[in-house]
């Protein structure tokens, strides 16, 4: 098992692109993992190759960047009644969670990531989950990830480390981290290449591409404005 290797859960969004840069800065060998779960914003997956290329170009990380893996988790979309996987409007539900919540998504993602890391001999697993401004998704919480690390390590008889570099950062702080890691070139690549919009809209804005009105776009635009004001 390689201590200096990492597997990054890489969706093609702002957060996971920043996590990928973080991992490339920190580890000697980095592989990426994406999931196809029949999400409506499948365009996210199409931006992954472009962002990987940009990371190699911006900071000279080509020698560290290993293979990309994409796993088919369409069964998750099949059992989820959410606005991310069904053609329904995004809204808040009675429990206080938006209907973009896909139950168990991060638990399933990280378990599959660990199974892949096991086979690839990779100790470190990196995910962009964040407790600060993530709509209250319970599977993004620090306690959830820590508990899952224990469960995975017990269940697989390994010593994986689940890294969450964005856990306590808001979107503006995530831009600051990207700036520290790769300077203006990385900021520009993340801003123009990555995709966050739930609706798959690629209308260009100052803060990146998106519809401008869904919760993901609002969060991204607000974070960009706050970062610009620093
Ligand atoms: Zn949007």
């Amino acid at each position: 098992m390689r201590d200096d290797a990492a597997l990054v859960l890489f969706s093609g969004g702002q957060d996971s692109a920043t996590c990928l840069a973080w991992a490339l800065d920190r580890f000697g060998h980095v592989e990426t993992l994406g999931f196809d779960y029949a999400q409506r914003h499948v365009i996210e997956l199409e931006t992954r190759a472009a962002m990987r290329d940009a990371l190699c170009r911006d900071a000279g990380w080509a020698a560290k960047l290993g293979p990309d893996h994409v796993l088919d988790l369409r069964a998750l979309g099949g059992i989820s009644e959410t606005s991310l996987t069904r053609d329904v409007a995004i809204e808040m539900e009675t429990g206080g969670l938006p209907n973009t919540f896909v139950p168990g998504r991060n638990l399933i993602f990280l378990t599959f990531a660990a199974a892949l890391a096991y086979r690839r001999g990779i100790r470190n697993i990196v995910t962009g989950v964040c407790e600060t401004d993530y709509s209250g998704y319970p599977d993004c919480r620090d306690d959830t990830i820590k508990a899952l690390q224990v469960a995975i390590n017990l269940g697989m008889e390994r010593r994986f480390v689940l890294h969450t570099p964005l856990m306590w950062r808001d979107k503006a702080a995530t831009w600051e981290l990207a700036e520290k890691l790769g300077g203006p070139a990385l900021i520009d690549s993340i801003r123009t290449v990555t995709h966050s919009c739930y609706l798959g809209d690629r209308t260009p804005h100052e803060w990146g591409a998106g519809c401008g009105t869904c919760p993901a776009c609002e969060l991204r635009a607000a974070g960009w404005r706050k970062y610009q004001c620093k």
Side-chain angles (χ1 to χ4, degrees):
M1 181 154 279
R2 286 185 61 178
D3 289 335
D4 73 331
L7 177 65
V8 179
L9 279 76
F10 181 53
S11 68
Q14 177 194 349
D15 291 344
S16 68
T18 306
C19 282
L20 181 51
W22 179 87
L24 286 162
D25 180 61
R26 189 183 183 100
F27 298 105
H29 175 81
V30 178
E31 301 186 6
T32 52
L33 170 60
F35 297 102
D36 175 1
Y37 57 102
Q39 61 268 52
R40 280 168 71 184
H41 53 301
V42 71
I43 192 163
E44 249 195 10
L45 295 176
E46 293 163 15
T47 66
R48 298 171 74 255
M51 194 62 228
R52 279 172 51 97
D53 289 346
L55 283 162
C56 293
R57 192 180 59 230
D58 295 343
W61 281 316
K64 289 183 171 189
L65 188 56
D68 180 38
H69 312 269
V70 176
L71 290 181
D72 180 355
L73 286 187
R74 287 183 161 260
L76 181 59
I79 56 172
S80 300
E81 281 290 344
T82 83
S83 61
L84 282 196
T85 50
R86 291 266 196 277
D87 190 16
V88 296
I90 296 169
E91 55 189 28
M92 293 302 284
E93 296 192 320
T94 46
L97 276 172
N99 65 351
T100 48
F101 176 59
V102 180
R105 179 170 57 173
N106 283 313
L107 306 179
I108 291 161
F109 283 2
L110 283 163
T111 304
F112 270 90
L116 178 63
Y118 187 104
R119 177 165 65 80
R120 303 287 299 164
I122 294 173
R123 182 178 305 281
N124 302 282
I125 297 168
V126 183
T127 170
V129 295
C130 164
E131 189 163 320
T132 50
D133 56 10
Y134 246 50
S135 313
Y137 293 173
D139 58 346
C140 292
R141 286 185 297 206
D142 194 43
D143 283 353
T144 304
I145 304 299
K146 286 191 164 76
L148 191 60
Q149 176 175 298
V150 173
I152 286 171
N153 283 332
L154 283 172
M156 297 192 193
E157 195 61 40
R158 279 288 185 276
R159 274 287 170 206
F160 293 113
V161 182
L162 304 189
H163 297 270
T164 56
L166 307 185
M167 183 59 77
W168 308 110
R169 288 180 160 98
D170 64 10
K171 289 281 181 201
T174 299
W175 284 117
E176 282 167 34
L177 175 62
E179 186 183 327
K180 202 171 84 185
L181 291 166
L186 181 59
I187 290 287
D188 212 44
S189 293
I190 292 177
R191 189 178 62 81
T192 56
V193 176
T194 64
H195 186 87
S196 303
C197 178
Y198 285 150
L199 303 181
D201 193 316
R202 290 295 291 171
T203 306
H205 300 272
E206 186 196 4
W207 42 266
C211 70
T213 54
C214 78
C217 282
E218 284 179 355
L219 193 59
R220 181 158 167 161
W224 176 257
R225 280 192 293 270
K226 189 175 164 195
Y227 165 66
Q228 289 293 294
C229 289
K230 298 226 168 189

